[in-house]
Amino acid sequence: MPELPEVEVVRRGLVNWVRGRTISAVEVLDPRSVRRHALGAGDFIGNLQGAAVSDVVRRGKFLWMPLVDGAAYAPDNQHAAPVPEVALMAHLGMSGQLLMQDPGVPDEKHIKVRIRLSPREGMPDQLRFVDQRIFGGLFVTALVPTDDGGPGGLAESPLPLIAGEAAHIARDPLDPSFSFDLFYQRLRKRKTGLKRALLDQGLVSGIGNIYADEALWRARLHYARPTDTLRRSEAQRVLDSSREVMLDALAAGGTSFDSLYVNVNGASGYFDRSLNAYGRQGEPCKRCAAAGIQAIIRREQFMNRSSHTCPVCQPRPRNGRW
Ligand SMILES: [Zn+2]
């Protein structure tokens, strides 16, 4: 699964290419990739044709493109811009990619959907959805008001609307409208372990297994720490840490923002270079080593996955919770 920074790389890349352009034609080459669109491929195409893409929005790992009536849309005039009611949702799954291509470029082997955009000087005209393993897909969904009245997610011109499928998930650490107070209140009320809480999309979204391990290591907190015993400063530390890890990954993936290929796979080489805990079992803890202390990163089973911790600088709590 792509992690949040990779989806943000896709959002930033895509928005430059598609914002303000009208969809002139759509080809569904494999109906399995639009199976989440309940009314079928014909209805999917009908919703897109003639619509203009007004933005690209992300919350957690959810990504969507609000659609407005192409005939009434003037991208540079915000006052005249119609309010979008639906959005094209892109679910990347395990291997989904959104690529901008010139019409002359031969089709990718696993191309599933082709969206033709109104011509724009110096820009490719086709948005292609390519997916080798077919876990991802595209569908059109209704936009609903956000429950806190804030923006739906990270966007170029934020609106207080969110794709229905994403309405149940909390804001992510990179969202400017993230409320630490609300996060802390909810965290204290849960009688659970800290890592399980970080992975709970209803509490904070976009933190997967790798980022949870890295954030906990940076915050020097153990994954089984009971959330109802966390001090405010500790909660702030783990949240700041998750934001830092994501921003570092984004900075490492920054070179791909201008690429023609808006690619979720290998968008950042971050994981190879900068991991401190995840996948480092059996190796010395870098922080402890810098302080002259010998400590070896441990890998333990956790929720059918694994957790990586340093036994010295992330000591196990006495009344740990999983
Ligand atoms: Zn350590």
Side-chain angles (χ1 to χ4, degrees), residues 95-114:
S95 58
Q97 295 171 284
L98 291 162
L99 308 178
M100 291 299 301
Q101 295 284 37
D102 282 315
V105 176
D107 281 352
E108 292 72 16
K109 190 174 173 197
H110 301 287
I111 183 170
K112 304 296 177 189
V113 180
R114 185 198 326 276

Side-chain angles (χ1 to χ4, degrees), residues 20-61:
R21 295 175 80 177
T22 300
I23 297 169
S24 52
V26 180
E27 278 172 73
V28 175
L29 303 160
D30 187 339
R32 288 176 296 177
S33 291
V34 298
R35 68 191 178 283
R36 286 182 182 81
H37 189 89
L39 296 176
D43 186 78
F44 173 80
I45 294 168
N47 268 280
L48 293 183
Q49 272 175 352
V53 179
S54 66
D55 210 338
V56 184
V57 189
R58 180 192 58 74
R59 179 185 291 206
K61 299 179 193 177

Side-chain angles (χ1 to χ4, degrees), residues 148-316:
D148 58 4
L154 226 65
E156 302 309 300
S157 17
L159 295 170
L161 298 169
I162 186 164
E165 279 70 20
H168 65 287
I169 70 162
R171 295 186 180 278
D172 62 70
L174 298 187
D175 189 328
S177 302
F178 188 93
S179 162
F180 174 75
D181 288 338
L182 187 64
F183 168 72
Y184 184 56
Q185 276 171 28
R186 289 179 175 170
L187 191 64
R188 287 284 308 225
K189 278 189 202 141
R190 306 221 171 176
K191 306 249 181 276
T192 186
L194 181 53
K195 180 167 171 181
R196 189 182 279 271
L198 291 178
L199 296 175
D200 178 349
Q201 304 294 301
L203 186 70
V204 53
S205 66
I207 302 181
N209 199 41
I210 300 172
Y211 283 88
D213 281 5
E214 291 298 305
L216 288 165
W217 183 87
R218 280 200 198 202
R220 301 184 307 281
L221 291 167
H222 191 273
Y223 62 83
R225 175 68 184 273
T227 52
D228 48 334
T229 67
L230 272 186
R231 289 191 292 271
R232 204 181 156 82
S233 59
E234 291 172 318
Q236 186 74 63
R237 214 159 75 210
V238 77
L239 186 73
D240 287 347
S241 298
S242 26
R243 190 178 292 125
E244 285 163 20
V245 180
M246 287 176 180
L247 288 174
D248 283 359
L250 263 178
T255 51
S256 61
F257 289 171
D258 295 329
S259 164
L260 203 61
Y261 295 83
V262 184
N263 188 344
V264 298
N265 298 308
S268 75
Y270 177 73
F271 292 144
D272 300 334
R273 296 194 298 274
S274 308
L275 293 174
N276 289 304
Y278 187 87
R280 295 197 67 247
Q281 62 275 8
E283 294 184 53
C285 167
K286 295 177 193 170
R287 180 169 46 217
C288 286
I293 301 164
Q294 219 179 8
I296 303 296
I297 299 286
R298 264 188 207 152
R299 179 179 191 269
E300 291 161 308
Q301 289 304 308
F302 179 87
M303 290 171 71
N304 297 325
R305 285 181 279 188
S306 54
S307 269
H308 305 77
T309 49
C310 171
V312 175
C313 57
Q314 297 172 273
R316 177 182 293 278

